[in-house]
Amino acid sequence: MAIWDNPANNAGRFGASKVKTLSADSYKCPNCASNLVYDVEHGASICRNCGGLFDPETLEKVGSFGILNPEKNYDGTIEISKEDADRVEIVCNACGAEIVTDKNTSSTFCAFCGSPALVTRRLTREFKPDYIIPFQFDKEKAIKIFEEHCESVGHLPKNFKSAKVLSKMTGLYVPTWIISSEVEVKVAGQAKTGKMVDEAYQENHSSTSQSFSRLTYGKVNFRLKDVPFDGELKIANNLMAAAEPFDYSALERFRPEFLQGYFAEKYDEQPLDMTDRIYKRLDKYALQVCDAVDFGYDDFVPSSDMSVVTYNNQDIKYALLPCWFLSLDYDGVNYQYIVNGQTGKVSGEFPYAKGWETIERTGRKARMEAVSWNSGLRVLLYATPAIILGILRFISGFSRDSAVMRFIFEHPFEPLLLLLALGGVAYVCAEILPKVLHNREKHDIEMLSKASSHDLAPEPGAENYYDTSFPVTAIETTKDFVSLEEGWNYADKQSFDFKTAIPEAETQGPDENATDFEKQGFGRQMLR
């Protein structure tokens, strides 16, 4: 379902007397001649074929959703709107960057590479964002935020930054596709119970009635909301992702005054151009959500190789997001930084003072070795009962006339106490200590996975984009992923019985009205 299919209010743009009901035979799209439909959310007429937005009074273009848009290639034949006629395009002859601004805003250097080789020209194609999050603070505060962040980064070179370099920080609106989607995962993975949750036990010991691992299948349904994907090529995707998240409650319809004093990139890619990048990120989030589902076992580890994911009812917004951008050279290396223009979050990699990178790497290596020793020690602890049992069998092998056996018969109380003590030792070693060590190992692994203050922060996890208003449902199924009339539901925690449950095959395919982008997200092998 496209964004224009969502019901919403008019936001007061037109009164009831001014809203026209468009019929299929009276109003046509100026772009593709398809029928126009009025949408109250956007206060505009919408073409379901090309995604264009038009003023219902004049049929002048006021925006576009960019999906299946015939203007995608901008061949120069599109008439520039009156608003865009007052904008200019600044092109860097060194790196090829193209940014848009109003005619009263100038630049003496490239925001991306720092080169002064700039050319200003008339805007050559229509600039038409649909939404925008305005900047929340000015350049002076952005510089202060960056300086404060640098103070929190340990072992930073003293001569790394200067007032002259920081003065090049540029306010830039980044073109971004904001995607929401319902997700259905036909997931397969290992369900674990008891000690099998511990990999050290699973790899070195056999299953028991209390501790086992089995291949399990299920269906998980949830919704991802407002996942951003930058649509330009000059900023690294991971750098922009590290600056997330944004607060979309501040999202507004684009107005020209928001651009005054700032620069804006024109998008280079539409969602259909970057389906692989988009769906792989959504797949990672889907895998994280499935990993949080246990299907009633002690643990469930999903497998991306055996799981299939489908994205339905997608919603796509095209917006400009505010970022303060800084590019600087240090010791022959170019470093790029982003200060989130809404939240103030800083993203980017920072250099080390001489010698400190080696010291930090040595510390991380020592922690990794500790994890390895931890795993090996747990294997030994799990074997404690077998070791003690072997000792007892060895003792029982002595003849009745031996000194050991005579001592046991003459002093039965002492051996009993010894057996109790050995039993306690076996319980502590085989049940308590491995759990303590396992938790310690998980903590060490978590610490190792955290980025150093010098490293680029990882992209936000699924918890930042999971739609809590659309609760997760998880049902255990058969191998063929068919629905069960009686099934284990994650919300109700009802028991299931494969022998009595009657499978009901599903025959679902992509919507015949789905766009090419939506079809790419149907029934895809996860992370492929």
Side-chain angles (χ1 to χ4, degrees):
M1 182 175 68
I3 185 175
W4 47 83
D5 293 327
N6 290 337
N9 57 27
N10 187 359
R13 182 173 177 183
F14 292 98
S17 62
K18 294 185 178 181
V19 176
K20 295 183 178 180
T21 302
L22 304 179
S23 62
D25 59 352
S26 58
Y27 289 90
K28 301 292 183 180
C29 173
N31 285 341
C32 63
S34 298
N35 295 330
L36 293 179
V37 178
Y38 181 79
D39 183 81
V40 294
E41 176 188 6
H42 309 98
S45 302
I46 296 177
C47 176
R48 296 179 183 272
N49 180 54
C50 70
L53 288 172
F54 304 91
D55 188 302
E57 299 289 337
T58 64
L59 291 186
E60 290 183 359
K61 191 172 184 62
V62 295
S64 172
F65 291 103
I67 304 300
L68 298 181
N69 191 341
E71 299 173 8
K72 170 183 170 183
N73 294 324
Y74 296 98
D75 56 8
T77 62
I78 305 300
E79 182 180 353
I80 300 296
S81 65
K82 182 178 179 181
E83 291 178 351
D84 283 347
D86 293 331
R87 300 191 179 103
V88 295
E89 187 174 29
I90 300 176
V91 183
C92 175
N93 282 341
C95 70
E98 300 176 1
I99 56 178
V100 178
T101 186
D102 64 280
K103 62 183 179 181
N104 298 319
T105 303
S106 61
S107 178
T108 58
F109 59 87
C110 176
F112 298 99
C113 69
S115 172
L118 302 178
V119 176
T120 301
R121 67 189 185 192
R122 180 178 177 271
L123 193 63
T124 56
R125 68 184 190 185
E126 187 175 0
F127 176 77
K128 46 181 177 32
D130 296 319
Y131 298 92
I132 191 171
I133 295 180
F135 276 91
Q136 298 299 305
F137 48 86
D138 58 17
K139 180 176 180 178
E140 182 179 348
K141 185 174 180 180
I143 293 175
K144 182 178 179 181
I145 289 174
F146 183 78
E147 290 177 325
E148 290 176 351
H149 182 83
C150 288
E151 294 297 328
S152 67
V153 179
H155 316 303
L156 195 65
K158 293 182 179 180
N159 59 341
F160 171 65
K161 56 185 174 63
S162 66
K164 181 179 179 181
V165 169
L166 295 183
S167 66
K168 292 186 176 182
M169 187 173 286
T170 304
L172 182 69
Y173 281 110
V174 179
T176 305
W177 301 98
I178 302 173
I179 297 179
S180 303
S181 178
E182 293 179 15
V183 186
E184 179 188 83
V185 185
K186 296 179 178 180
V187 63
Q190 288 294 322
K192 303 177 182 181
T193 296
K195 296 178 183 178
M196 278 292 178
V197 172
D198 187 347
E199 294 80 3
Y201 183 92
Q202 183 180 3
E203 293 177 3
N204 297 277
H205 301 277
S206 301
S207 299
T208 66
S209 57
Q210 291 79 30
S211 300
F212 60 87
S213 174
R214 65 161 60 108
L215 186 61
T216 299
Y217 303 87
K219 284 184 182 178
V220 182
N221 292 274
F222 55 96
R223 188 171 187 268
L224 295 173
K225 183 179 180 181
D226 295 336
V227 185
F229 298 88
D230 61 283
E232 49 68 54
L233 300 175
K234 295 300 178 183
I235 301 178
N237 298 328
N238 56 353
L239 179 64
M240 189 65 190
E244 299 171 18
F246 289 83
D247 180 8
Y248 296 109
S249 63
L251 202 65
E252 299 188 32
R253 294 292 299 176
F254 176 77
R255 298 199 304 271
E257 54 266 32
F258 287 130
L259 195 60
Q260 293 178 4
Y262 301 100
F263 299 96
E265 268 280 274
K266 296 181 297 185
Y267 69 76
D268 300 309
E269 297 178 303
Q270 295 182 351
L272 191 59
D273 302 320
M274 48 186 184
T275 53
D276 187 60
R277 174 160 68 96
I278 290 175
Y279 284 124
K280 278 189 176 180
R281 182 174 180 184
L282 298 183
D283 284 353
K284 289 180 182 179
Y285 289 161
L287 198 61
Q288 290 176 19
V289 173
C290 291
D291 191 44
V293 176
D294 57 30
F295 290 108
Y297 300 94
D298 291 338
D299 189 29
F300 175 72
V301 181
S303 169
S304 62
D305 292 338
M306 296 187 292
S307 301
V308 177
V309 61
T310 296
Y311 298 96
N312 296 308
N313 297 329
Q314 294 165 346
D315 176 279
I316 302 177
K317 302 181 182 72
Y318 174 46
L320 298 180
L321 302 186
C323 293
W324 289 99
F325 189 82
L326 176 64
S327 177
L328 59 88
D329 291 310
Y330 177 79
D331 199 20
V333 179
N334 180 259
Y335 293 89
Q336 293 184 337
Y337 300 97
I338 285 179
V339 179
N340 187 311
Q342 181 191 39
T343 66
K345 182 180 179 182
V346 178
S347 69
E349 295 183 354
F350 292 84
Y352 286 87
K354 187 176 182 179
W356 280 103
E357 184 174 8
T358 302
I359 294 175
E360 184 166 309
R361 286 182 177 178
T362 302
R364 292 177 65 87
K365 183 179 179 180
R367 190 181 288 273
M368 293 176 64
E369 291 179 352
V371 169
S372 179
W373 280 100
N374 187 316
S375 179
L377 181 58
R378 294 203 311 279
V379 172
L380 181 62
L381 290 174
Y382 279 128
T384 301
I387 295 174
I388 293 178
L389 183 60
I391 294 174
L392 293 177
R393 286 183 176 178
F394 175 75
I395 294 175
S396 65
F398 288 101
S399 65
R400 289 179 174 269
D401 296 333
S402 65
V404 174
M405 297 304 294
R406 283 200 306 271
F407 176 82
I408 293 176
F409 283 115
E410 293 174 1
H411 305 84
F413 186 68
E414 288 84 349
L416 180 60
L417 290 178
L418 179 61
L419 286 175
L420 292 175
L422 290 174
V425 169
Y427 178 79
V428 171
C429 291
E431 297 292 338
I432 298 178
L433 287 181
K435 292 181 180 178
V436 173
L437 293 174
H438 190 213
N439 290 333
R440 177 63 187 178
E441 181 183 283
K442 289 195 292 185
H443 172 74
D444 287 341
I445 293 176
E446 182 180 347
M447 295 300 295
L448 287 169
S449 63
K450 286 185 177 180
S452 164
S453 59
H454 288 260
D455 298 334
L456 186 66
E459 66 185 25
E463 66 276 4
N464 290 275
Y465 299 110
Y466 170 69
D467 189 351
T468 55
S469 65
F470 192 100
V472 62
T473 58
I475 302 174
E476 190 169 1
T477 68
T478 64
K479 179 179 179 180
D480 296 325
F481 295 111
V482 294
S483 299
L484 301 176
E485 289 187 356
E486 294 183 22
W488 185 89
N489 186 284
Y490 193 62
D492 301 330
K493 293 190 175 180
Q494 299 172 346
S495 60
F496 70 94
D497 185 353
F498 284 128
K499 296 180 180 179
T500 59
I502 302 175
E504 183 178 297
E506 289 189 348
T507 56
Q508 183 181 0
D511 190 332
E512 60 180 9
N513 296 321
T515 66
D516 289 341
F517 175 75
E518 292 171 328
K519 291 177 182 178
Q520 293 289 329
F522 186 88
R524 52 178 276 111
Q525 190 75 35
M526 187 176 283
L527 293 176
R528 291 292 178 85

